[in-house]
Amino acid sequence: AGIGKCVALELARRNARTILACRSRERGQAAVEEIRAATGNPAVLLRLLDTSSMASVRAFAQAVLREEKRLDVLVNNAGITGLPFTITPEGLEQTFATNYLGPFLLTNLLLG
């Protein structure tokens, strides 16, 4: 939803192979189908990613590096705010992990 979906839609309109990295399979798949229908671009894909989980970030990065020939653009758009203070199972504060640590780790892992 929001800015991320708009960016993905515009990239798909430009005929880019576009990977949506989403926490929710259901919402992500709905977005993929909507973007494919709006653009006619079949190369819009869903991959699951939770940037609050460093294990999820590592698994996502490994899959992208294994499956994709190249990566031209990375848009880090995950973000949360206003949630109560929560510690992730990895011992990180959830908002900080989601908004900063996860995207930072992802970017560094995808740089190769």
Side-chain angles (χ1 to χ4, degrees):
I3 293 170
K5 186 176 176 184
C6 288
V7 169
L9 179 64
E10 187 56 35
L11 290 169
R13 273 195 183 117
R14 295 172 186 224
N15 208 33
R17 179 175 171 85
T18 305
I19 301 170
L20 279 67
C22 303
R23 279 187 309 247
S24 165
R25 181 178 305 278
E26 294 77 24
R27 290 180 62 206
Q29 191 59 46
V32 164
E33 291 169 14
E34 183 180 331
I35 292 169
R36 284 179 182 165
T39 65
N41 183 345
V44 179
L45 312 170
L46 173 64
R47 299 291 181 264
L48 297 181
L49 171 63
D50 178 355
T51 59
S52 74
S53 164
M54 300 308 109
S56 176
V57 170
R58 289 180 190 285
F60 176 86
Q62 286 175 345
V64 168
L65 292 171
R66 183 179 58 251
E67 296 168 6
E68 302 298 325
K69 294 177 189 173
R70 66 183 216 222
L71 178 66
D72 295 313
V73 176
L74 174 65
V75 178
N76 283 315
N77 186 56
I80 57 172
T81 186
L83 297 179
F85 181 85
T86 306
I87 300 295
T88 69
E90 295 165 311
L92 304 168
E93 195 280 317
Q94 185 173 13
T95 301
F96 186 58
T98 301
N99 295 350
Y100 302 101
L101 298 177
F104 179 83
L105 177 60
L106 179 61
T107 300
N108 280 278
L109 291 172
L110 291 176
L111 285 173

